[in-house]
Amino acid sequence: MADSLDHVPAQANNLPRFLALTIGAIGVVYGDIGTSPLYAFREALRPFGPGGVGRDEVIGLVSLVIWTLTAIVTIKYVLFLLRADNDGEGGTLSLLALLLKRGTKYPVVMFFAGVLGAALFIGDAMITPALSVLSAVEGLKLVTPALHDYVLPISVAIIVLLFAVQSRGTGAVSIFFGPITLIWFLIMAAAGVAHIGDDLAILSSFNPLNAVAFLWNAGLVGFIVLGAIFLTVTGAEALYADLGHFGRLPIQTAWFAVVFPALALNYLGQGALVLSHPDALSNPFFLMFPNWALLPMVILATAATIIASQSVITGAFSLIRQAIHLGFLPRFEICYTSETQTGQIYLPLVNSILLIGVLALMLLFGSSEALAPAYGVSITGAMVIDTILAFEFVRRQWAWPALTAIAVLLPLFSLELVFLGANLFKVHHGGYVPILIAGTLITMMWTWRKGVRLLREKTARHDIPLSQFIAMVERKSEHAPVDVPGTAIFLTATPDTTPAVLLHNIKHNHVLHQHNVILTIKTARIPYVPEKDRYTITKLSDRFSLLELRFGFMDDQNVSRALARCRKEGLKFEIMSTSFYLGRRKLIADSQSGLPQWQDKLFIVMADSAIDPTEYFHLPPNRVVELGEQVII
């Protein structure tokens, strides 16, 4: 997600840039769905067992694959959801922010739906690298069975190396993502074309009646198979999440010109191969290639899966940044790995958590075959959430009548519920993994929001209105604080009340600066705030001013840079004679307080893990003064 040229979508009349974004979208947006042929059709065949799958079943399965790609990816995401954007940005949290900004009759339902969708995406970000890399490296077993015992160690080494290079940024290598993935799609298409002739009956898969007949006749097995069929559309949600990085037209062009044809041809080829050689069902993808080509294909597949993994990792970074700026999580360290592209970010703590999660999954399950059942639950759940949010979006943003929205979205919603139900059958086979991951993240977000609200309520009891405080200190008396030269900037989240750190400074140091700026930082529910709308300055008195800085949830919240612009626009202060005052709270758990004890402790751990505001807001560290207080929660 973060590997775009910038956050401004391409224009159709700029052909070189449009082509560059289209090729980039092939690598970044479609990297995940492009690796699905490695395992999806194999897993769909597995419930039938060796020798248990007939011609009609194979044709019906391929038909299901093609029409699932058509309904879920082409119709829902490429043609419909790409038009549901928040000022050009897509994704679950972006859509949630828009709905909360516009107003909705069901804010609590929308909030929990959005948070659940985000949590399921993080589960996907852990499972995708593990499953994809294992699937690719397992091709070595076909090169020579002697390499069987080395598959897991090689896969682990690749994952460790992949996460180790995240801190260096992806800008240098991202230019290769598109071309490598383009080669991958072209070779997949060529392999499919080469094998379709093995049994031309596979072309009847284009008839959707074959998919319906398969489900009608297969019974319970057919329902179970649906869970594997859904693996063919894993990564489709990246279409929506990457909207702001590539623009709608490049993503759509990449799908219709390259990705969809290549996927369809490859699945047709795998089906024809199994029809003519039933023994190929053990690994139909790699068995499409001659022996001499196996090792090069394993290497290319590994490169493709690394790109797919990179895409979901950077996607997770971007999503967590959105969650932080929207107040769903505490502030974690965000490193910008590019001097020009704000989308290229690295979150050390999130990177470490993802690495531990991916390695745990690989070591726990040991093979892509064992891990595959865990995959579908997170994807189907996230897609159902997207449809729920889309329903509210078209009602609020596009003013669709309820009946029109139902007529358009209910068929897709029903289809996704069927897929979700099929995947829930695999909960005990590994489907519990994304549920546990999502449950953990939802608990953390819920605890953070609840704890922050409670903390504000407790501190508000001792608040003094800012206007009342200014009137008090400007009345000269024998107890008045000593005037000192320079400017003091006090950060606060509640600009109408006197910052606690200002009160502590007067109480303990008995001084008041010549110029005092009450600074509040707001995160808008739009991705990017234009520079001209970045700040508002209000003069409260001769000594006090109120400064409000506004950032979008995709912006770098660099206060120093914003203040430099304020100086150019007339805010008079010298940075070397300015002090930034921050309040630091030590939280103490209280079992009699508003949170259960376990939630108290979780909130305190999360608060302690947050990055120092000096680093997060890019304040000059040698100009920052921190004053602390204890708060019982």
Side-chain angles (χ1 to χ4, degrees):
M1 283 178 68
D3 303 307
S4 62
L5 299 181
D6 57 37
H7 65 258
V8 181
Q11 300 299 317
N13 58 1
N14 189 341
L15 185 59
R17 180 167 175 72
F18 173 75
L19 291 176
L21 285 175
T22 301
I23 294 174
I26 290 174
V28 176
V29 177
Y30 295 109
D32 191 0
I33 198 171
T35 57
S36 296
L38 283 167
Y39 49 81
F41 191 60
R42 180 195 70 196
E43 294 304 314
L45 292 168
R46 195 173 302 283
F48 294 97
V53 61
R55 293 180 61 82
D56 291 343
E57 284 81 7
V58 173
I59 293 172
L61 283 173
V62 176
S63 183
L64 266 176
V65 169
I66 291 174
W67 287 101
T68 298
L69 287 169
T70 301
I72 301 295
V73 185
T74 305
I75 296 175
K76 177 184 172 181
Y77 281 96
V78 176
L79 296 178
F80 176 68
L81 268 186
L82 285 184
R83 298 178 180 274
D85 65 282
N86 184 353
D87 286 358
E89 286 291 330
T92 302
L93 285 185
S94 181
L95 193 56
L96 173 62
L98 177 66
L99 292 175
L100 294 177
K101 178 180 71 174
R102 292 285 182 179
T104 170
K105 289 183 178 179
Y106 317 102
V108 176
V109 174
M110 292 299 108
F111 171 77
F112 277 104
V115 167
L116 176 58
L120 289 169
F121 185 89
I122 297 300
D124 178 29
M126 288 187 182
I127 299 173
T128 291
L131 178 61
S132 299
V133 172
L134 278 171
S135 298
V137 178
E138 282 169 354
L140 289 173
K141 294 188 291 187
L142 299 176
V143 177
T144 170
L147 294 174
H148 180 279
D149 294 336
Y150 295 94
V151 169
L152 187 57
I154 291 173
S155 300
V156 167
I158 290 172
I159 289 297
V160 171
L161 182 62
L162 174 63
F163 280 91
V165 301
Q166 293 302 313
S167 61
R168 299 182 179 274
T170 55
V173 295
S174 62
I175 57 174
F176 298 107
F177 284 6
I180 290 174
T181 312
L182 177 60
I183 293 170
W184 169 252
F185 278 117
L186 294 176
I187 290 178
M188 281 202 302
V193 170
H195 283 279
I196 288 175
D198 292 354
D199 196 322
L200 291 175
I202 198 65
L203 294 176
S204 62
S205 300
F206 284 112
N207 183 351
L209 294 178
N210 284 310
V212 175
F214 168 80
L215 292 175
W216 184 265
N217 297 322
L220 181 60
V221 174
F223 190 68
I224 295 172
V225 163
L226 281 177
I229 290 294
F230 208 81
L231 294 175
T232 61
V233 296
T234 55
E237 71 283 356
L239 289 170
Y240 191 34
D242 282 312
L243 174 60
H245 293 287
F246 294 96
R248 178 163 52 89
L249 194 56
I251 293 175
Q252 291 176 330
T253 302
W255 174 253
F256 286 113
V258 176
V259 181
F260 191 20
L263 291 174
L265 289 171
N266 189 264
Y267 285 121
L268 288 168
Q270 289 191 50
L273 176 65
V274 172
L275 285 178
S276 58
H277 301 88
D279 56 322
L281 59 82
S282 61
N283 202 327
F285 179 84
F286 280 112
L287 291 175
M288 297 174 76
F289 300 93
N291 289 333
W292 62 265
L294 277 177
L295 185 57
M297 276 309 299
V298 170
I299 295 172
L300 181 59
T302 303
T305 56
I306 290 173
I307 292 171
S309 301
Q310 178 65 61
S311 300
V312 296
I313 291 168
T314 52
F317 289 164
S318 184
L319 185 143
I320 293 296
R321 177 175 65 172
Q322 291 181 38
I324 291 169
H325 287 176
L326 291 170
F328 299 155
L329 288 171
R331 293 189 292 261
F332 299 140
E333 181 181 2
I334 301 176
C335 304
Y336 292 83
T337 58
S338 169
E339 294 182 359
T340 57
Q341 310 304 327
T342 59
Q344 294 186 18
I345 58 175
Y346 165 68
L347 283 72
L349 180 61
V350 176
N351 191 66
S352 299
I353 292 172
L354 288 177
L355 172 60
I356 293 170
V358 172
L359 291 179
L361 289 173
M362 295 177 79
L363 296 175
L364 178 64
F365 289 91
S367 69
S368 64
E369 177 185 345
L371 186 56
Y375 204 16
V377 175
S378 60
I379 304 300
T380 50
M383 289 185 177
V384 167
I385 295 298
D386 283 344
T387 305
I388 293 172
L389 294 176
F391 177 81
E392 189 68 5
F393 173 87
V394 298
R395 297 271 291 117
R396 297 289 160 194
Q397 187 76 4
W398 292 350
W400 282 16
L403 289 178
T404 303
I406 291 171
V408 172
L409 292 174
L410 184 59
L412 285 170
F413 185 67
S414 302
L415 177 62
E416 288 169 346
L417 281 182
V418 171
F419 278 118
L420 178 60
N423 277 285
L424 289 176
F425 265 83
K426 302 184 293 184
V427 166
H428 61 292
H429 288 302
Y432 59 87
V433 171
I435 294 175
L436 287 177
I437 295 172
T440 301
L441 194 57
I442 288 172
T443 301
M444 291 174 65
M445 289 185 178
W446 172 49
T447 297
W448 183 252
R449 295 275 288 194
K450 193 175 178 182
V452 167
R453 187 180 70 247
L454 180 64
L455 192 59
R456 284 178 180 167
E457 290 173 357
K458 282 182 173 288
T459 55
R461 298 169 190 168
H462 308 289
D463 284 345
I464 299 174
L466 184 58
S467 56
Q468 179 181 330
F469 171 79
I470 293 174
M472 274 181 0
V473 298
E474 291 193 341
R475 282 199 303 265
K476 298 298 183 182
S477 70
E478 58 180 302
H479 301 295
V482 177
D483 290 347
V484 293
T487 301
I489 297 179
F490 299 90
L491 270 71
T492 179
T494 52
D496 294 332
T497 60
T498 310
V501 67
L502 172 55
L503 296 174
H504 287 310
N505 186 43
I506 291 178
K507 177 180 178 182
H508 297 290
N509 298 325
H510 310 291
V511 298
L512 186 66
H513 285 72
Q514 217 168 16
H515 303 289
N516 299 273
V517 178
I518 310 301
L519 172 60
T520 182
I521 299 167
K522 302 288 187 182
T523 299
R525 298 194 185 278
I526 57 175
Y528 304 96
V529 170
E531 285 295 332
K532 63 183 179 64
D533 301 327
R534 178 74 69 210
Y535 65 91
T536 301
I537 303 172
T538 306
K539 187 174 181 180
L540 303 177
S541 71
D542 290 339
R543 301 177 69 175
F544 284 87
S545 300
L546 176 63
L547 172 61
E548 180 179 297
L549 293 180
R550 291 179 291 276
F551 297 95
F553 59 78
M554 295 289 286
D555 277 322
D556 173 17
Q557 299 196 350
N558 191 319
V559 171
S560 292
R561 189 187 304 150
L563 289 176
R565 182 174 176 84
C566 290
R567 284 188 62 206
K568 291 181 181 179
E569 299 293 333
L571 179 63
K572 299 186 182 303
F573 70 94
E574 291 298 328
I575 194 69
M576 295 313 296
S577 62
T578 297
S579 298
F580 293 84
Y581 284 82
L582 304 178
R584 180 174 288 276
R585 291 176 176 141
K586 179 176 176 57
L587 304 179
I588 301 173
D590 179 9
S591 59
Q592 305 301 316
S593 188
L595 292 176
Q597 192 166 12
W598 68 269
Q599 217 167 11
D600 259 344
K601 293 179 178 178
L602 176 59
F603 179 74
I604 291 173
V605 169
M606 293 177 70
D608 289 343
S609 69
I611 185 176
D612 189 291
T614 301
E615 294 181 54
Y616 188 81
F617 292 119
H618 305 279
L619 302 176
N622 60 337
R623 307 302 308 168
V624 173
V625 179
E626 292 189 354
L627 297 175
E629 63 175 328
Q630 289 188 346
V631 180
I632 298 175
I633 62 169

